Coordinates of all heavy atoms in Angstrom, one line a residue:
L214 N 0.8 -1.2 0.0 CA 0.0 0.0 0.0 C 0.9 1.3 0.0 O 1.7 1.4 0.9 CB -1.0 0.0 1.2 CG -1.7 1.3 1.5 CD1 -2.7 1.5 0.2 CD2 -2.5 1.3 2.8
A215 N 0.7 2.1 -1.0 CA 1.3 3.4 -1.0 C 0.1 4.4 -0.9 O -0.7 4.5 -1.8 CB 2.0 3.7 -2.4
F216 N 0.1 5.1 0.2 CA -1.1 5.9 0.6 C -0.6 7.4 0.7 O -0.2 7.8 1.8 CB -1.7 5.4 1.9 CG -2.9 6.1 2.2 CD1 -4.1 5.8 1.6 CD2 -3.0 6.9 3.3 CE1 -5.3 6.4 2.0 CE2 -4.2 7.6 3.7 CZ -5.4 7.3 3.0
E217 N -0.7 8.2 -0.4 CA -0.2 9.5 -0.4 C -0.9 10.5 0.5 O -0.3 11.4 1.1 CB -0.3 10.0 -1.8 CG 0.3 11.5 -2.0 CD 0.2 12.0 -3.4 OE1 1.2 11.6 -4.2 OE2 -0.7 12.6 -3.7
P218 N -2.3 10.3 0.8 CA -3.0 11.3 1.5 C -2.4 11.5 3.0 O -2.6 12.5 3.6 CB -4.4 10.8 1.6 CG -4.6 10.1 0.3 CD -3.2 9.4 0.1
E219 N -1.6 10.5 3.5 CA -1.2 10.6 4.9 C 0.0 11.6 5.0 O 0.3 12.1 6.0 CB -0.7 9.3 5.4 CG 0.6 8.7 4.8 CD 1.0 7.4 5.3 OE1 0.5 7.0 6.5 OE2 1.7 6.7 4.7
R220 N 0.5 12.1 3.8 CA 1.5 13.0 3.9 C 1.0 14.4 3.6 O 1.8 15.4 3.6 CB 2.6 12.7 2.7 CG 3.3 11.4 2.9 CD 4.5 11.3 2.0 NE 4.3 11.7 0.6 CZ 4.0 10.8 -0.3 NH1 3.8 9.5 0.0 NH2 3.8 11.2 -1.6
L221 N -0.3 14.6 3.4 CA -0.9 15.9 3.1 C -1.7 16.3 4.2 O -2.0 15.7 5.2 CB -1.7 15.7 1.8 CG -0.9 15.1 0.6 CD1 -1.9 14.9 -0.6 CD2 0.2 16.0 0.2
D222 N -2.2 17.6 4.1 CA -2.9 18.3 5.1 C -4.4 18.0 4.8 O -5.1 18.9 4.3 CB -2.6 19.8 5.1 CG -3.3 20.5 6.1 OD1 -3.7 19.9 7.1 OD2 -3.5 21.8 6.0
V223 N -4.8 16.9 5.3 CA -6.3 16.5 5.2 C -6.9 16.8 6.6 O -6.4 16.3 7.6 CB -6.5 15.1 4.8 CG1 -7.9 14.7 4.7 CG2 -5.8 14.8 3.4
W224 N -8.0 17.5 6.6 CA -8.5 17.9 7.9 C -9.9 17.4 8.1 O -10.6 17.2 7.1 CB -8.4 19.4 8.1 CG -9.0 20.2 7.0 CD1 -8.2 20.7 6.0 CD2 -10.3 20.7 6.7 NE1 -9.0 21.5 5.1 CE2 -10.3 21.4 5.6 CE3 -11.5 20.4 7.4 CZ2 -11.4 22.0 5.0 CZ3 -12.6 21.0 6.8 CH2 -12.7 21.8 5.7
G225 N -10.3 17.2 9.4 CA -11.7 16.8 9.7 C -11.8 15.3 9.8 O -10.9 14.5 9.7
D226 N -13.0 14.9 10.3 CA -13.4 13.6 10.4 C -14.9 13.4 10.1 O -15.6 14.4 10.0 CB -13.1 13.0 11.8 CG -14.0 13.6 12.8 OD1 -13.6 14.7 13.4 OD2 -15.0 13.0 13.1
V227 N -15.3 12.2 9.9 CA -16.7 11.9 9.6 C -17.2 10.9 10.6 O -16.8 9.7 10.5 CB -17.0 11.4 8.2 CG1 -18.5 11.4 7.8 CG2 -16.2 12.3 7.1
G228 N -17.9 11.3 11.7 CA -18.3 10.4 12.7 C -17.1 9.7 13.4 O -17.1 8.6 13.8
G229 N -16.0 10.5 13.5 CA -14.8 10.0 14.1 C -13.9 9.3 13.1 O -12.8 8.9 13.5
M230 N -14.3 9.1 11.9 CA -13.4 8.4 10.9 C -12.6 9.4 10.1 O -13.2 10.4 9.6 CB -14.4 7.6 10.0 CG -13.6 6.7 9.0 SD -14.7 5.6 8.0 CE -13.6 5.1 6.8
T231 N -11.3 9.2 10.1 CA -10.5 10.1 9.3 C -9.8 9.3 8.2 O -10.0 8.2 8.0 CB -9.4 10.7 10.3 OG1 -8.5 9.6 10.6 CG2 -10.0 11.3 11.6
H232 N -9.0 10.1 7.4 CA -8.2 9.5 6.3 C -7.2 8.5 6.9 O -6.8 7.6 6.1 CB -7.5 10.5 5.4 CG -6.5 11.3 6.1 ND1 -6.7 12.2 7.1 CD2 -5.1 11.4 5.8 CE1 -5.5 12.8 7.5 NE2 -4.6 12.3 6.6
Y233 N -6.8 8.6 8.1 CA -5.9 7.6 8.7 C -6.7 6.3 8.9 O -6.1 5.2 8.7 CB -5.4 8.1 10.1 CG -4.4 9.2 9.9 CD1 -4.7 10.5 10.3 CD2 -3.2 9.0 9.2 CE1 -3.8 11.5 10.1 CE2 -2.2 10.0 9.1 CZ -2.6 11.3 9.5 OH -1.7 12.3 9.3
H234 N -7.9 6.3 9.2 CA -8.8 5.1 9.3 C -8.9 4.4 8.0 O -8.9 3.2 7.8 CB -10.1 5.4 10.0 CG -10.1 5.9 11.4 ND1 -10.3 7.2 11.8 CD2 -9.8 5.2 12.5 CE1 -10.1 7.3 13.0 NE2 -9.8 6.1 13.5
L235 N -9.1 5.3 6.9 CA -9.1 4.8 5.6 C -7.9 4.0 5.3 O -7.9 3.0 4.7 CB -9.3 5.9 4.6 CG -9.3 5.6 3.1 CD1 -10.4 4.5 2.7 CD2 -9.4 6.8 2.2
R236 N -6.7 4.6 5.6 CA -5.4 3.9 5.4 C -5.4 2.5 6.0 O -4.9 1.6 5.4 CB -4.3 4.8 6.0 CG -2.9 4.2 5.8 CD -1.9 4.9 6.7 NE -2.2 4.7 8.1 CZ -1.6 5.5 9.1 NH1 -0.8 6.4 8.8 NH2 -2.0 5.3 10.3
E237 N -5.9 2.4 7.2 CA -5.9 1.1 7.9 C -6.8 0.2 7.2 O -6.6 -1.1 7.2 CB -6.2 1.3 9.4 CG -5.1 2.1 10.1 CD -3.7 1.5 9.8 OE1 -3.5 0.3 10.2 OE2 -2.8 2.2 9.3
F238 N -8.0 0.6 6.8 CA -9.0 -0.2 6.1 C -8.2 -0.8 4.8 O -8.3 -1.9 4.5 CB -10.1 0.6 5.7 CG -11.1 0.0 4.7 CD1 -12.1 -0.9 5.2 CD2 -11.0 0.1 3.3 CE1 -13.0 -1.5 4.3 CE2 -11.9 -0.5 2.4 CZ -12.9 -1.3 3.0
L239 N -7.6 0.1 4.1 CA -6.9 -0.3 2.9 C -5.7 -1.2 3.1 O -5.5 -2.1 2.4 CB -6.5 1.0 2.0 CG -7.5 1.9 1.6 CD1 -6.9 3.1 0.9 CD2 -8.5 1.2 0.5
R240 N -5.0 -1.0 4.2 CA -3.9 -1.8 4.6 C -4.4 -3.2 4.8 O -3.8 -4.2 4.4 CB -3.2 -1.3 5.8 CG -1.8 -2.0 6.0 CD -1.2 -1.7 7.4 NE -1.2 -0.2 7.7 CZ -0.3 0.6 7.4 NH1 0.7 0.2 6.6 NH2 -0.4 1.9 7.7
G241 N -5.5 -3.4 5.6 CA -6.1 -4.7 5.9 C -6.5 -5.3 4.6 O -6.3 -6.5 4.3
L242 N -7.2 -4.6 3.7 CA -7.6 -5.1 2.4 C -6.5 -5.6 1.6 O -6.5 -6.8 1.1 CB -8.4 -4.0 1.7 CG -8.9 -4.4 0.2 CD1 -10.0 -5.4 0.3 CD2 -9.4 -3.1 -0.5
C243 N -5.4 -4.9 1.4 CA -4.3 -5.3 0.6 C -3.6 -6.4 1.2 O -3.3 -7.4 0.5 CB -3.3 -4.0 0.6 SG -3.9 -2.7 -0.4
N244 N -3.4 -6.4 2.5 CA -2.7 -7.6 3.1 C -3.3 -8.9 3.0 O -2.7 -9.9 2.8 CB -2.4 -7.3 4.6 CG -1.3 -6.2 4.8 OD1 -0.5 -5.9 3.9 ND2 -1.3 -5.6 6.0
H245 N -4.6 -8.8 3.0 CA -5.3 -10.1 3.0 C -5.9 -10.5 1.7 O -6.3 -11.7 1.5 CB -6.5 -10.1 4.1 CG -5.9 -10.0 5.5 ND1 -5.7 -11.2 6.2 CD2 -5.4 -9.0 6.2 CE1 -5.1 -10.9 7.3 NE2 -5.0 -9.6 7.4
A246 N -6.0 -9.6 0.7 CA -6.4 -9.9 -0.7 C -5.2 -10.0 -1.6 O -5.4 -10.6 -2.7 CB -7.3 -8.9 -1.2
G247 N -4.0 -9.6 -1.2 CA -2.9 -9.7 -2.1 C -2.9 -8.7 -3.1 O -2.8 -8.9 -4.3
I248 N -3.1 -7.4 -2.7 CA -3.3 -6.3 -3.7 C -2.0 -5.3 -3.6 O -1.7 -4.9 -2.4 CB -4.5 -5.5 -3.5 CG1 -5.8 -6.4 -3.6 CG2 -4.7 -4.3 -4.5 CD1 -7.1 -5.7 -3.2
T249 N -1.5 -4.9 -4.7 CA -0.6 -3.8 -4.7 C -1.5 -2.6 -5.1 O -2.1 -2.5 -6.1 CB 0.5 -4.0 -5.8 OG1 1.3 -5.0 -5.4 CG2 1.4 -2.7 -5.9
L250 N -1.5 -1.5 -4.2 CA -2.4 -0.4 -4.3 C -1.7 0.9 -4.1 O -1.0 1.1 -3.1 CB -3.6 -0.6 -3.2 CG -4.6 0.5 -3.1 CD1 -5.4 0.5 -4.4 CD2 -5.5 0.2 -1.9
H251 N -1.8 1.8 -5.0 CA -1.3 3.1 -4.9 C -2.5 4.1 -4.9 O -3.4 4.1 -5.8 CB -0.4 3.4 -6.1 CG 0.9 2.7 -6.0 ND1 2.0 3.3 -5.7 CD2 1.2 1.4 -6.3 CE1 3.0 2.4 -5.7 NE2 2.5 1.3 -6.0
V252 N -2.5 4.9 -3.9 CA -3.6 5.9 -3.7 C -2.9 7.4 -3.7 O -2.1 7.6 -2.9 CB -4.3 5.8 -2.4 CG1 -5.4 6.8 -2.2 CG2 -5.0 4.4 -2.3
R253 N -3.3 8.1 -4.7 CA -2.8 9.5 -4.8 C -4.0 10.5 -4.7 O -5.1 10.3 -5.2 CB -2.2 9.7 -6.2 CG -1.1 8.8 -6.6 CD -0.7 8.8 -7.9 NE -0.2 10.1 -8.4 CZ -0.5 10.6 -9.6 NH1 -1.2 10.0 -10.5 NH2 0.0 11.9 -9.9

C-alpha cells in the first residue's frame, strides 16, 4: 500500500473516521487480498 494522503494536510473527520482510518482499512484489504495499491 502506497497511501499519499497521509503526507498531506487533510482535515476533519466523519463520525470519528479520518483518512488515517481509511489507510488502515486499505492496509487490511491489501494484506489479506494480495493487492498492490497506490492511492494518490
Side-chain angles (χ1 to χ4, degrees):
L214 173 63
F216 186 76
E217 184 180 276
E219 71 180 339
R220 300 197 308 269
L221 304 176
D222 182 21
V223 178
W224 48 267
D226 69 272
V227 191
M230 185 173 170
T231 70
H232 65 298
Y233 291 111
H234 296 106
L235 174 64
R236 178 194 62 194
E237 294 310 300
F238 172 87
L239 296 175
R240 192 191 313 275
L242 177 69
C243 290
N244 286 344
H245 291 270
I248 301 174
T249 295
L250 179 64
H251 288 255
V252 178
R253 300 168 62 215

